Amino acid sequence: MGLMVSWQRPWGGFGRWVLALVCCLSMGGTRAAGTNPEAVAAPIRFGILPIGSAAESREQWRPLLADLEKRLGHPVTTVSVSSYAGLSGAIGDQRVDIAFLSGKLAIDAVLKQRMSVIAQFVRSDGAKGNVGYLIVRADGPIHDLQGLLAHPGRWRYARGEPLSVTGYVAPEAEVFAPRGLNSDTFFASVHVGNHQNNALAVVNGEVDVASSNNPDLDLFRRNFPQEAAQLKVIWRSSLIPSGVLVVRDEMDEPLRSQLIGFMRGYGQSSGASGERERANLARVPDLAGFAPADSLVLQPFIDMEYTLLRQQVQHGRWVSEAAQAARLRQVEADHQKTLRLLRPH
């Protein structure tokens, strides 16, 4: 039955209906603003380092973050970006409360962006880190690392961003810089992209060699088994420590402590709930849990960057030996300063 309005009595039934509506709206507004603070609580913003595409990474973390939201009774949103630089920018702009990071990203977050390491990733195979790779087509012209290095200016290279440890820093520090080479000038062309797209570029013959790592190559094998069978690893790095979780220092208590407790304890319980949580962890490539850690766990990343800088200075062209020596002293001083700042207060 529709609403009937009598124009002969404009402030009769219609007036009472308007008054009732105003009262209902006022009461609803009061409840939203006053009696239920969680309805307007600012969300916990979780930054996700891209493994594969941003959408793929977001889907991998979705069940864990749903549990986090339920356990803390607090909304959770994701900051999922397509590049390392994008995530670094979001952290610098204070748009991230907790994030999964590695290498230079984590160092900058701790030293420059007011965040602290609270846990390190535990791999499902028990290893304490990842291994960087250089990959080629198994049936291609490059058979080994010596064959790659024997022909400067011939090959096309696909690598990660400069902030990527396995995508850029490790190959540069362990393959190119010790030989007085720079990948940006050694190759005929250089393409910068994520590990998944770079592996596809090798398979499709768009590039001759690409940097990668074991978690990303395992993910590539699951997503593209036929294509992955066409790839071959020609170089493996030394063990690179696993990524870390960092949390914003200014995050309100007790929410910050509750968040840290949840992440460190996730997947540790027994029974059906623990099994379900471990299954959620396994959705993120090679992740089995989070071991408590502090910022000192980042020292291997800092040492790797220090080694790379020294090698670049030693093999670079300088106007004089004095200029080179001065630069080496500055690299050493910067390294020692970074290590001091890294130590927990």
Side-chain angles (χ1 to χ4, degrees):
M1 184 174 179
L3 176 66
M4 299 181 64
V5 178
S6 171
W7 291 103
Q8 286 76 23
R9 293 186 296 146
W11 294 105
F14 183 72
R16 287 191 296 272
W17 177 80
V18 171
L19 181 61
L21 177 61
V22 170
C23 290
C24 286
L25 289 174
S26 298
M27 291 172 62
T30 301
R31 278 197 301 270
T35 60
N36 186 10
E38 288 298 332
V40 294
I44 297 171
R45 301 161 298 180
F46 194 99
I48 300 175
L49 184 68
I51 297 177
S53 69
E56 189 175 17
S57 297
R58 191 164 53 245
E59 181 60 24
Q60 291 165 352
W61 284 90
R62 181 182 54 77
L64 185 155
L65 298 183
D67 283 352
L68 172 63
E69 184 171 271
K70 183 178 180 181
R71 183 80 59 83
L72 269 60
H74 201 93
V76 176
T77 61
T78 59
V79 180
S80 184
V81 296
S82 59
S83 69
Y84 286 63
L87 184 53
S88 179
I91 295 171
D93 292 340
Q94 296 288 291
R95 292 187 284 115
V96 173
D97 299 305
I98 178 173
F100 155 42
L101 304 176
S102 67
K104 187 70 165 62
L105 274 177
I107 294 167
D108 286 349
V110 170
L111 298 183
K112 302 176 183 178
Q113 297 165 332
R114 300 192 297 278
M115 302 192 86
S116 297
V117 174
I118 58 101
Q120 186 171 33
F121 278 35
V122 177
R123 284 174 47 89
S124 56
D125 60 5
K128 296 181 179 179
N130 302 323
V131 177
Y133 291 154
L134 289 177
I135 57 175
V136 299
R137 278 191 65 98
D139 61 357
I142 303 174
H143 303 295
D144 51 32
L145 184 61
Q146 288 69 33
L148 169 72
L149 296 173
H151 300 283
R154 177 177 177 181
W155 315 115
R156 299 160 298 169
Y157 184 39
R159 64 165 174 82
E161 301 171 65
L163 290 170
S164 170
V165 178
T166 55
Y168 176 75
V169 178
E172 210 69 24
E174 298 186 11
V175 175
F176 300 110
R179 295 172 170 86
L181 304 173
N182 183 314
S183 66
D184 287 334
T185 56
F186 176 82
F187 291 98
S189 64
V190 176
H191 169 79
V192 178
N194 65 50
H195 290 308
Q196 299 295 292
N197 291 341
N198 288 348
L200 276 175
V202 174
V203 173
N204 294 333
E206 298 166 356
V207 298
D208 302 297
V209 58
S211 57
S212 187
N213 59 44
N214 51 324
D216 276 281
L217 193 56
D218 289 344
L219 179 63
F220 188 78
R221 290 190 181 106
R222 290 197 291 270
N223 291 340
F224 307 101
Q226 293 182 341
E227 289 80 359
Q230 302 175 52
L231 296 174
K232 179 174 73 172
V233 176
I234 61 167
W235 171 80
R236 292 171 172 81
S237 75
S238 58
L239 190 66
I240 298 167
S242 299
V244 297
L245 285 176
V246 297
V247 173
R248 188 164 56 88
D249 293 336
E250 290 87 358
M251 192 174 184
D252 291 339
E253 292 288 2
L255 185 61
R256 188 177 188 276
S257 295
Q258 293 168 350
L259 174 60
I260 294 172
F262 172 87
M263 298 304 294
R264 288 177 173 176
Y266 197 78
Q268 302 301 310
S269 59
S270 58
S273 62
E275 289 297 324
R276 185 185 64 80
E277 290 179 357
R278 286 186 283 276
N280 289 342
L281 287 167
R283 292 170 62 95
V284 181
D286 292 317
L287 178 60
F290 308 99
D294 60 30
S295 297
L296 287 177
V297 77
L298 299 177
Q299 183 168 340
F301 296 116
I302 292 172
D303 291 343
M304 180 179 290
E305 285 210 334
Y306 164 69
T307 299
L308 174 57
L309 283 174
R310 278 190 58 86
Q311 290 169 342
Q312 290 174 337
V313 173
Q314 288 168 343
H315 294 288
R317 294 182 178 179
W318 295 87
V319 295
S320 67
E321 291 185 3
Q324 183 186 45
R327 178 58 182 147
L328 283 171
R329 287 194 297 272
Q330 185 62 54
V331 168
E332 179 67 32
D334 290 345
H335 180 237
Q336 294 302 320
K337 179 181 178 181
T338 300
L339 291 179
R340 288 194 300 272
L341 292 173
L342 199 67
R343 298 187 184 100
H345 297 294

